[in-house]
Amino acid sequence: MAPNQKAVLEMRDAAKAFGGVQALKGAELTLYPGEIHALLGENGAGKSTLLKALAGVHKIDSGSITLNGKQFEQGSTRAARDQGIAVIYQEPSLFPDLTLAENVFVGRQLQKGKTVDWQGMEKESRKLFEQLGVNLDPTIRARGLSIADQQIVEIAKALSTQATVIVMDEPTAALSSKEVDRLFKVARNLEAQNCAVVFVSHRLDEVFALCSRITVMRDGATVGSAPTSEMNEAKVIKLMVGREISELYPKLEAKLGEVVLKVEDLGLAGQFANINFEVRAGEIVGLAGLVGSGRSEVVRAIFGIDKYDKGSVWLNGKKLKPGNPSAHMVAGMALVPEDRRQQGLFMSSSINKNSAVTMLKRISKLFIVRQKDEGKLASDWGKILQLKYATGHDPVDRLSGGNQQKVVLAKWLATEPKLLIVDEPTRGIDVGTKSEVHRLLSQKAQEGMAIVMVSSELPEVMGMADRILVMREGRMVGEFDRKQATAEKIIAVATGASGK
Amino acid sequence: MKNLIQKTLKVREIPVFLGLLIVVLITGTANPAFFTLSGFQDITLGVAVVATLAVAQTLVIVMKHIDLSVGSTIGFSAYLIGDASSKGHGFWYCMALALGLGLVVGAVNGYLVAYLKLPSLVVTLATLYIVRGLFNEIAGGNTITEDMVPKAINFMGLNTFFGIPYLFLVAVILMLVVGFIMKRLRPARDLYAIGSNLAAAELVGIPVARRVFLAFLATGAVSGLAGAVLLARFNTAAANSGNGLELSVVAACVVGGVAIAGGIGTVYGAVIGAVLLQAITMALGALGVPQFWQLTVNGILLIAAISLDRYLSTRVKPTSIMGTN
Amino acid sequence: MKKFTFGWDHGVTIFLVLTVVLGGFISEYFATIDNLSFVIQDIAEIAIIALAMSYLIIAGEIDLSVASILSLSSATIGFLFRNGTSFEMAIVGGLIVGLLCGLLNGYLVTVIGLPSLAVTIGTLALFRGLCYALLGNEPVNELPENWIVLGYENIPGTFLPWSTIPLVILAAIAWIVLHYTRIGRWTFAIGINAEAAKFSGIPVARMKLGLFAMTGLMSGVAGVVYTLRFASASPDGAVGYELGVIAAVLFGGVSIAGGIGTLWGVLAAVFALGAIRSVLQLIDFSANALLIVSGALLLISVVVPRAIEIAQSRRKSTFVTNK
C-alpha cells in the first residue's frame, strides 16, 4: 500500500529467451506487503514467463530478483515455495484422489512423532478454510471439486507454507460472478494479513475494483507501473496495446449469401443453454466473451466433439447428428481448435501427414494413400500459406507456433469447408503471422466461406467480424453489428457490468 | 448417523466386503459344510499366497505402475529356499537368500522404471521372463520335495493358530503393517500423490524417482520372502511354481478397489479382493458347480469391479460453490 | 524423396540375419529346409496374432486375452465337432467366437470406457474359463484326418507348411493396410494423440472397436491353426502366449506408448525369436534360455531407444550452453 514501505519482492531488468524468441526483456516488478498488485498485458506480453520465473519453473538469463532483501534462489519449484512464493495457476493441479486436508499439506504432511497426523491436518486445513471465509470439508477428496474450490485449496496450501507472495494467474477466468466475489473477499483477506498478492486478469473492471497497484507489460518489458488511483482504463489499454490497431486487420468486404450454419436452441447441461444464431456464406461471425464463458464449449458441440442434450445444428439446411465429428467433416464443417498442440496437431508426425490427415480419402486410389499426392497437397498449401519449413517430412514440433497454426489451417482449408470455425486462431503467434492469418480468413470469406471466429482478443474480433455475438456464463447475451460495435459495449455485455 | 452411513459407503473396501459376506452367506446356507472350521481354513489357507503378493502389488499399483515379475520371483525364491535347506543350510540363511533374490529383482525393476523412466509394464514383463528363465535353468527338472522344506516352513504350512492357518496370519500381519505404513508414513503417502497426479507431485517437490524405486524394491523384497509362503502352502516347488500368479494378484487388487489408474486403494481392499476371489472359487465347489467355472466367474468379477468403479467415479457430483458456501 | 533413416526395424532385421548366419555356423542342421519348415510352423500362431496386436498397441491399447481367445476358438471347434457339427462349420464357429470375444473387449474399452489392461486381464480369465466350460477337462482328439494333415504336412511340392498360406496372406494385407491406407494412418494418428485424432474427424471409438474385433478374429484364426497343428482341441492350450506375442511386438519396435512401429519390424522380431528358439533347441540348450533371451531382447527394445534419447538430450544441452 504505502510505497515508502520496504518492498517484499523486487525484479529488476529481467530477461529470458527461448531459442530465438525474447520472452522477457527489461521486465520489472516491485511488490509491497499488504497489497493486491495487478499484472496486465496482452497475450504474449511475457506475463506467464515472468510468473514462471517466480514459481521456480524458469531461470532468468539476466537481471535480478530479490525477495525480502535476499537474492531469490531460482530454478526450483520447491525452493521457490520454501522462500515464500506460492503460485496459483488458472488450472490448479490438485491430487484428485487425496483429501483436501492432504492436498493442503502434500509432500510435508503434519506429523505427530514420526507418523502422519491426520486429525491435525484436518483441523489445520479447516482453520485455513475458515480463515479464508470458505466452508469446505477437509475430509472429502478433491476429485470433482469446482475450479473455484480448487483455487481455495491452493490458496490454503500457500498460507500453510507461510507464503509472503501469492501469485494468482487469471484466477477469475473460469469463475461465475458469485465465485469471483468470494475470491475477492479471500484476496482482501490475504491483503489484510500482509501478503503481497499478484493478480493477473484480463478483466479490467475487476482490476480496478480490487487492486491497489497496476503493472503493465508489453513485448516482454514492463511499460508502466503505478497506483490504481493514478490509472484509468483508457491509460491502461493504451499501455497494453501501444500501437494502432486498425492496420492489423485487413478485412475485405464480402457479399453475404445463403445461410450456411443454423444453430437452434442448443444446450448442454452445466455448460451452455439457449444458443441461437445463423451464419451466412461470406460472413465472419465473431464469438466474444471472457475465457470460460462457454464459447469453446459451444463450438466443440457444433463440430460434434461433445454431444449436446438440447437443440439442433443445421448445415446448408441439413440437420446434423450430434457427437460425430467425422460426419460433420464430411458435411463440410471444419474446426481449428483452441489448443494447437493437444487438439490440432500430431506433434511427432510430419508436416505432410498432418496436412493430409483430413484428406486421406481424397488422396487415396484403390484404398492406397498416394504419398506423392500427400506431399503435393502439403507443399501446395505450404506455398499458399507461406509456410516456412525445410522438408515436408520434418515433424511439426520443429516449427514455430505460427507455422504450426498454418499447418492446422492447411489441413482444414484443404477440405474446402463450407463452414470454418476457428477458436483463438492467433493465440501465441507473432504479429506478422497474425496478420497473414487474418488476411487469409478475410479472403476465404470473400470467396464465400462462412466463418465463426472465437477470440479473446477484442481488437481481433472487432477488426475481423461482420457481426459479433457475445457470451456470458453459457448464454448468448449480446449481438453487435460491425459498425455499432465498440470495445466498451462488448466488455460491458461480456462482464455483465452496467457500463460505468 | 446418516452422515456416518454415507461416509462408510464411500469407503471403497465396503462393497467388496459386502460382496464377500453375501457369497459366504449364500454358500453357507446352501451347503452348511461351507460354514465349518475346515471351510474357513480352506479359504484362508488357499488365499495366503495371493493375499501376500497383493499387499506388495498395491504399493506399485497406487503409483500407476504394475509389477508382473512377482510370479517368477516367488517361484524362484520358493525353489531356492528348498534347495538351500536340502544342502544343510539353516532357516535364516534360506530366508536371507529369498530376500536377496527379491531385492535384486526389485532393484532392477525399480532402477529401470524410476531412473530410466521406462514403462513398468514392459520392464516387468521382461524381468518376468528373465527370472523365470534363470529359475528354470537352475532348477532344471528338479523338484523340491517335502523332506527338503525347512522344518519351520513346513510347520507353518500345516498348522493353525487357534484355528487360523499360520500362513493366513502371516498375510494378515503383513497387511496390517503395510496398511499402517501407507496411511501413516510420509514417504508412503507420496506414492498416492505420484499415482494421482504425477506432474503435480513433481511440482511440489516430491522425490518421485526415489519413491518409485523404493516401492519396486519393497514389492520385490516381499515377493522374495513370500517364496516361503508358497513353499509352505504346497510343500513342493518346481520349475513352474508361481507361473501366472501375477495376473491373479493384479485381479485381486483391482477387485479390492485398488484402481489401475493409480492414486487410490488400500492393502486391506487388496486382501479382501483376494479372499473374495478365493471364496467364490470355494463356493462354486461347495455349490456343486464344476470347478472350471471359477475362472469365468473371476473374470466377470474383475470386469464388474472396474465397471462399478467407473460408474461410481463418474457420478461424483462437483461440489459447487453454492452447495458449500 | 524421403531420406533413409536407420530405424529400429532395420536393426531387428540385421539381428535376424545375424541369428540365421550364426545359427548356420553353430548347427549344420539349422539352415536346412526341414528346420525352416519347422520354424515357420512353430511361430505361425504368434505371428498371426502379432499382426493384429501391432495395430492395437500402435493405437495405444493392449489385449492380454489373445491366448485365451485362441484357446476358446480351438475349444469351440472341438465342442461343435464333438456335438455333430461338420468340421468346416466348426471352424467357422471358432472364427465367429474369436470375433465376438474381440468385440466384447472393444465394447468394454470404447463404450464403457474401461482401461484395456485391466479389462483384458479380466477377459483373459473369463475366456479361459469358458474353454473349460465347453470341453470340461476332456480334449477333443478325434479330428478328421483330411483336415489335420494340414497341421503337419507341407504344401505339396514345397518345404512350406500349410500354415504359411494364412500367415503370408494376412501379413501382406496387414502390412499394406497399416502403412499404405487410410486405416493405417488413422491407427498411428490415434496412438500419437487420440484427442487430436477426434478433432481431425477420425472416428476414434469406431476404429478402436474395430481393432479389438480384428485382434479377436486373428486370435481365432490362430486358434484354427493351433488346433490343426496339435490335432487336438484342449481347454488349456497356448497358456501364456499373450506375453510371447507382446514381447515380439515390442521387440519389433512398436512403442508401448503408441504411435510408433512398423509391421516389418514385428515380423522380423517374430522370426528372429523363432530362429533363436530353434538354434537353442538344436544345440540342446533348454527352453529356459529362450525365456531369458526373450526377456533380454524386450528390455533392450526399451532401454536402447531411451539411452539414445538421453544421449541426444545431453548433446543438445551441452550445445546450448556452449552457445
Side-chain angles (χ1 to χ4, degrees):
Chain A
M1 277 280 201
N4 54 353
Q5 233 180 321
K6 230 178 130 222
V8 53
L9 181 130
E10 277 184 284
M11 177 186 266
R12 290 281 158 263
D13 200 22
K16 172 81 190 171
F18 297 102
V21 183
Q22 195 74 39
L24 287 184
K25 198 183 168 188
E28 313 250 331
L29 182 67
T30 308
L31 301 177
Y32 296 99
E35 70 167 359
I36 302 177
H37 192 124
L39 183 62
L40 303 179
E42 283 193 300
N43 289 329
K47 288 168 302 179
S48 58
T49 312
L50 188 151
L51 296 190
K52 281 185 177 157
L54 294 182
V57 177
H58 296 321
K59 264 184 172 170
I60 53 174
D61 300 334
S62 65
S64 69
I65 306 176
T66 42
L67 183 68
N68 295 317
K70 278 182 291 195
Q71 191 172 344
F72 173 65
E73 187 197 330
Q74 294 190 60
S76 150
T77 52
R78 187 160 203 161
R81 189 186 75 196
D82 292 345
Q83 294 168 88
I85 295 186
V87 179
I88 290 138
Y89 297 98
Q90 193 179 334
E91 298 271 317
S93 52
L94 294 184
F95 298 90
D97 304 306
L98 305 185
T99 63
L100 299 191
E102 194 169 14
N103 263 294
V104 170
F105 292 100
V106 68
R108 36 183 195 88
Q109 286 91 342
L110 298 182
Q111 303 195 86
K112 204 191 265 169
K114 291 239 183 273
T115 64
V116 173
D117 179 11
W118 288 91
Q119 270 141 9
M121 289 201 296
E122 275 157 27
K123 219 175 94 195
E124 281 301 308
S125 35
R126 187 165 278 135
K127 239 201 256 161
L128 288 168
F129 295 149
E130 271 166 22
Q131 196 179 329
L132 293 171
V134 178
N135 180 20
L136 277 174
D137 178 359
T139 63
I140 61 168
R141 293 183 198 280
R143 190 180 296 283
L145 217 55
S146 72
I147 296 221
D149 285 346
Q150 291 183 42
Q151 285 172 346
I152 298 295
V153 176
E154 291 275 10
I155 295 170
K157 195 159 137 186
L159 282 181
S160 77
T161 62
Q162 317 291 327
T164 48
V165 175
I166 296 177
V167 183
M168 300 185 196
D169 187 7
E170 294 201 43
T172 58
L175 304 193
S176 68
S177 56
K178 281 202 177 122
E179 291 170 325
V180 170
D181 287 345
R182 183 179 73 169
L183 187 73
F184 277 20
K185 251 189 253 160
V186 169
R188 294 206 177 96
N189 224 325
L190 296 172
E191 183 183 28
Q193 291 169 41
N194 234 20
C195 287
V197 178
V198 179
F199 184 80
V200 180
S201 176
H202 285 296
R203 304 181 182 178
L204 288 186
D205 55 333
E206 288 177 6
V207 167
F208 281 93
L210 181 69
C211 302
S212 44
R213 288 176 72 82
I214 295 176
T215 295
V216 183
M217 294 183 72
R218 185 175 73 232
D219 300 331
T222 299
V223 290
S225 184
T228 311
S229 52
E230 295 167 23
M231 291 276 209
N232 59 42
E233 291 202 12
K235 225 169 165 180
V236 167
I237 291 174
K238 201 172 166 201
L239 279 170
M240 278 165 62
V241 180
R243 59 179 127 77
E244 287 304 311
I245 294 169
S246 56
E247 66 192 48
L248 246 175
Y249 307 99
K251 174 76 171 88
L252 304 167
E253 281 303 316
K255 253 205 351 238
L256 299 194
E258 294 291 296
V259 171
V260 174
L261 174 75
K262 193 166 118 188
V263 177
E264 248 180 12
D265 197 30
L266 208 63
L268 177 59
Q271 305 274 358
F272 52 83
N274 304 331
I275 305 294
N276 287 290
F277 67 97
E278 290 180 353
V279 185
R280 292 173 172 277
E283 190 181 25
I284 300 182
V285 170
L287 204 49
L290 302 172
V291 173
S293 59
R295 302 165 309 173
S296 295
E297 287 74 11
V298 167
V299 295
R300 280 170 66 114
I302 291 176
F303 187 63
I305 298 291
D306 304 321
K307 277 189 184 158
Y308 39 86
D309 41 39
K310 260 196 83 191
S312 54
V313 175
W314 304 70
L315 191 71
N316 280 332
K318 267 200 303 197
K319 193 173 166 181
L320 297 177
K321 233 175 85 185
N324 190 343
S326 41
H328 289 41
M329 179 177 107
V330 174
M333 201 188 274
L335 169 66
V336 173
E338 180 182 21
D339 184 341
R340 190 160 56 229
R341 300 178 62 89
Q342 256 311 305
Q343 303 167 336
L345 292 167
F346 304 95
M347 296 305 290
S348 60
S349 229
S350 70
I351 296 166
N352 285 356
K353 286 184 178 166
N354 268 290
S355 311
V357 68
T358 50
M359 294 289 289
L360 291 171
K361 197 163 188 181
R362 272 183 256 184
I363 57 170
S364 296
K365 221 173 208 174
L366 286 172
F367 300 110
I368 303 296
V369 175
R370 307 194 10 136
Q371 301 212 12
K372 235 195 217 158
D373 291 355
E374 181 180 77
K376 191 168 172 318
L377 183 97
S379 70
D380 286 354
W381 278 100
K383 258 181 229 136
I384 296 171
L385 300 178
Q386 298 170 8
L387 188 69
K388 293 176 193 71
Y389 65 110
T391 99
H393 297 293
D394 281 347
V396 285
D397 58 8
R398 287 205 201 141
L399 300 176
S400 70
N403 280 310
Q404 285 175 0
Q405 188 70 332
K406 286 180 180 177
V407 175
V408 184
L409 283 165
K411 89 174 189 195
W412 284 116
L413 291 178
T415 66
E416 296 169 354
K418 302 193 181 63
L419 170 75
L420 175 69
I421 306 172
V422 288
D423 194 351
E424 304 285 3
T426 60
R427 179 189 278 175
I429 66 183
D430 59 284
V431 180
T433 315
K434 217 167 170 169
S435 75
E436 282 177 45
V437 169
H438 291 145
R439 191 167 300 128
L440 182 78
L441 292 177
S442 176
Q443 183 196 331
K444 285 290 156 191
Q446 205 182 27
E447 290 168 11
M449 197 180 280
I451 297 178
V452 174
M453 185 171 81
V454 176
S455 173
S456 298
E457 291 182 43
L458 267 189
E460 180 172 78
V461 180
M462 290 167 47
M464 293 298 300
D466 296 298
R467 201 148 52 85
I468 298 167
L469 306 173
V470 187
M471 286 189 69
R472 187 179 75 232
E473 292 175 23
R475 307 290 164 123
M476 226 34 122
V477 288
E479 176 169 351
F480 299 96
D481 197 68
R482 179 178 176 78
K483 292 186 193 88
Q484 39 165 275
T486 66
E488 290 73 22
K489 281 190 203 163
I490 295 174
I491 289 175
V493 177
T495 57
S498 44
K500 46 185 165 172
Chain B
M1 187 59 206
K2 199 179 159 200
N3 202 357
L4 187 72
I5 294 171
Q6 274 176 346
K7 262 195 181 147
T8 325
L9 280 177
K10 266 196 209 146
V11 178
R12 297 167 61 85
E13 289 73 21
I14 300 287
V16 197
F17 193 73
L18 290 179
L20 179 59
L21 279 186
I22 292 168
V23 168
V24 170
L25 282 178
I26 291 178
T27 319
T29 323
N31 182 350
F34 197 69
F35 265 149
T36 60
L37 183 63
S38 83
F40 167 76
Q41 287 176 348
D42 277 351
I43 292 179
T44 49
L45 190 61
V47 82
V49 172
V50 171
T52 310
L53 291 179
V55 170
Q57 189 74 223
T58 304
L59 292 174
V60 290
I61 296 186
V62 294
M63 302 186 303
K64 207 173 182 169
H65 282 295
I66 198 163
D67 186 351
L68 295 177
S69 68
V70 293
S72 298
T73 309
I74 192 176
F76 195 5
S77 151
Y79 180 85
L80 284 182
I81 293 172
D83 187 53
S85 168
S86 72
K87 288 176 181 144
H89 293 291
F91 173 75
W92 293 111
Y93 178 92
C94 296
M95 291 312 288
L97 211 57
L99 177 64
L101 172 76
L103 287 175
V104 170
V105 179
V108 170
N109 287 337
Y111 176 77
L112 293 171
V113 173
Y115 293 104
L116 288 190
K117 306 212 181 322
L118 299 175
S120 55
L121 182 70
V122 182
V123 166
T124 59
L125 179 59
T127 49
L128 175 159
Y129 278 127
I130 294 172
V131 173
R132 175 69 57 187
L134 289 172
F135 170 22
N136 291 5
E137 196 56 39
I138 288 173
N142 296 343
T143 301
I144 302 295
T145 51
E146 187 160 0
D147 53 303
M148 295 156 80
V149 176
K151 286 255 158 49
I153 290 177
N154 195 11
F155 175 84
M156 297 272 279
L158 296 177
N159 290 284
T160 60
F161 182 75
F162 293 109
I164 304 169
Y166 275 110
L167 293 184
F168 187 65
L169 271 185
V170 169
V172 168
I173 291 169
L174 181 74
M175 171 186 84
L176 293 174
V177 171
V178 177
F180 176 82
I181 291 173
M182 289 187 80
K183 178 82 183 170
R184 289 285 175 177
L185 295 194
R186 262 194 203 167
R189 295 309 303 168
D190 290 347
L191 305 187
Y192 286 97
I194 291 167
S196 191
N197 187 343
L198 179 61
E202 278 167 348
L203 212 59
V204 298
I206 289 172
V208 174
R210 205 180 326 150
R211 294 287 179 265
V212 173
F213 177 80
L214 285 175
F216 271 96
L217 193 66
T219 303
V222 173
S223 310
L225 289 173
V229 179
L230 188 71
L231 192 58
R233 169 82 179 87
F234 297 108
N235 262 320
T236 174
N240 64 351
S241 288
N243 217 350
L245 263 182
E246 60 279 350
L247 296 185
S248 316
V249 171
V250 173
C253 290
V254 173
V255 167
V258 185
I260 209 104
I264 211 164
T266 66
V267 291
Y268 311 112
V271 169
I272 299 174
V275 174
L276 176 60
L277 290 179
Q278 182 70 25
I280 288 177
T281 304
M282 297 288 179
L284 292 177
L287 295 175
V289 177
Q291 208 218 343
F292 45 71
W293 280 101
Q294 62 159 292
L295 266 173
T296 315
V297 172
N298 283 0
I300 291 172
L301 206 63
L302 176 58
I303 294 165
I306 48 177
S307 304
L308 182 72
D309 191 36
R310 162 96 192 150
Y311 175 69
L312 290 178
S313 66
T314 50
R315 278 201 336 162
V316 173
K317 285 213 187 85
T319 61
S320 88
I321 172 177
M322 310 303 161
T324 53
N325 212 341
Chain C
M1 195 56 219
K2 187 173 174 167
K3 254 195 334 200
F4 176 81
T5 44
F6 188 83
W8 185 261
D9 47 346
H10 303 112
V12 179
T13 312
I14 292 172
F15 181 84
L16 170 62
V17 171
L18 285 178
T19 315
V20 171
V21 172
L22 278 176
F25 277 115
I26 293 171
S27 160
E28 53 186 30
Y29 181 73
F30 176 78
T32 61
I33 282 170
D34 280 351
N35 193 48
L36 180 59
S37 167
F38 174 76
V39 169
I40 293 175
Q41 211 166 31
D42 200 34
I43 59 169
E45 297 97 7
I46 289 203
I48 290 171
I49 302 176
L51 296 175
M53 185 73 86
S54 302
Y55 278 72
L56 207 51
I57 298 183
I58 287 172
E61 299 288 348
I62 199 164
D63 184 352
L64 293 178
S65 70
V66 287
S68 298
I69 299 178
L70 183 164
S71 187
L72 184 56
S73 148
S74 173
T76 305
I77 295 171
F79 175 80
L80 290 176
F81 185 64
R82 187 159 69 188
N83 288 292
T85 315
S86 76
F87 195 69
E88 291 74 12
M89 285 317 290
I91 286 181
V92 173
L95 295 178
I96 290 174
V97 164
L99 183 67
L100 289 178
C101 290
L103 278 171
L104 176 65
N105 284 332
Y107 175 82
L108 291 169
V109 172
T110 59
V111 182
I112 312 279
L114 306 178
S116 56
L117 183 67
V119 163
T120 57
I121 287 178
T123 52
L124 179 157
L126 168 63
F127 298 151
R128 177 68 66 182
L130 291 177
C131 295
Y132 286 98
L134 279 179
L135 294 184
N137 273 322
E138 307 275 310
V140 179
N141 291 325
E142 292 76 32
L143 303 180
E145 186 62 27
N146 61 331
W147 275 96
I148 58 175
V149 291
L150 296 178
Y152 59 80
E153 274 191 357
N154 289 341
I155 304 170
T158 70
F159 61 89
L160 297 168
W162 282 100
S163 56
T164 317
I165 293 178
L167 178 56
V168 167
I169 293 174
L170 292 172
I173 294 174
W175 187 354
I176 291 169
V177 171
L178 183 62
H179 293 297
Y180 298 100
T181 71
R182 185 165 69 140
I183 299 287
R185 287 294 177 77
W186 281 357
T187 307
F188 280 101
I190 291 169
I192 294 171
N193 183 341
E195 194 184 3
K198 198 172 174 195
F199 272 93
S200 302
I202 298 173
V204 176
R206 206 159 7 116
M207 273 290 294
K208 282 190 175 175
L209 183 65
L211 293 182
F212 274 104
M214 200 43 66
T215 306
L217 181 61
M218 286 303 116
S219 306
V221 172
V224 175
V225 174
Y226 189 87
T227 310
L228 296 178
R229 173 147 79 105
F230 292 98
S232 158
S234 66
D236 58 352
V239 171
Y241 267 40
E242 66 277 356
L243 298 185
V245 170
I246 290 166
V249 170
L250 297 181
F251 178 55
V254 174
S255 161
I256 191 84
I260 301 174
T262 67
L263 215 59
W264 173 253
V266 171
L267 285 171
V270 173
F271 274 89
L273 290 171
I276 292 175
R277 181 166 162 143
S278 163
V279 174
L280 293 173
Q281 276 166 352
L282 288 173
I283 57 174
D284 274 342
F285 244 74
S286 62
N288 318 320
L290 183 77
L291 282 176
I292 302 175
V293 172
S294 305
L297 292 179
L298 192 57
L299 267 192
I300 288 171
S301 66
V302 283
V303 172
V304 171
R306 177 81 190 128
I308 294 170
E309 205 179 297
I310 291 172
Q312 274 172 350
S313 70
R314 276 205 188 126
R315 208 182 314 147
K316 226 186 247 165
S317 59
T318 51
F319 176 71
V320 170
T321 46
N322 287 345
K323 204 170 68 169

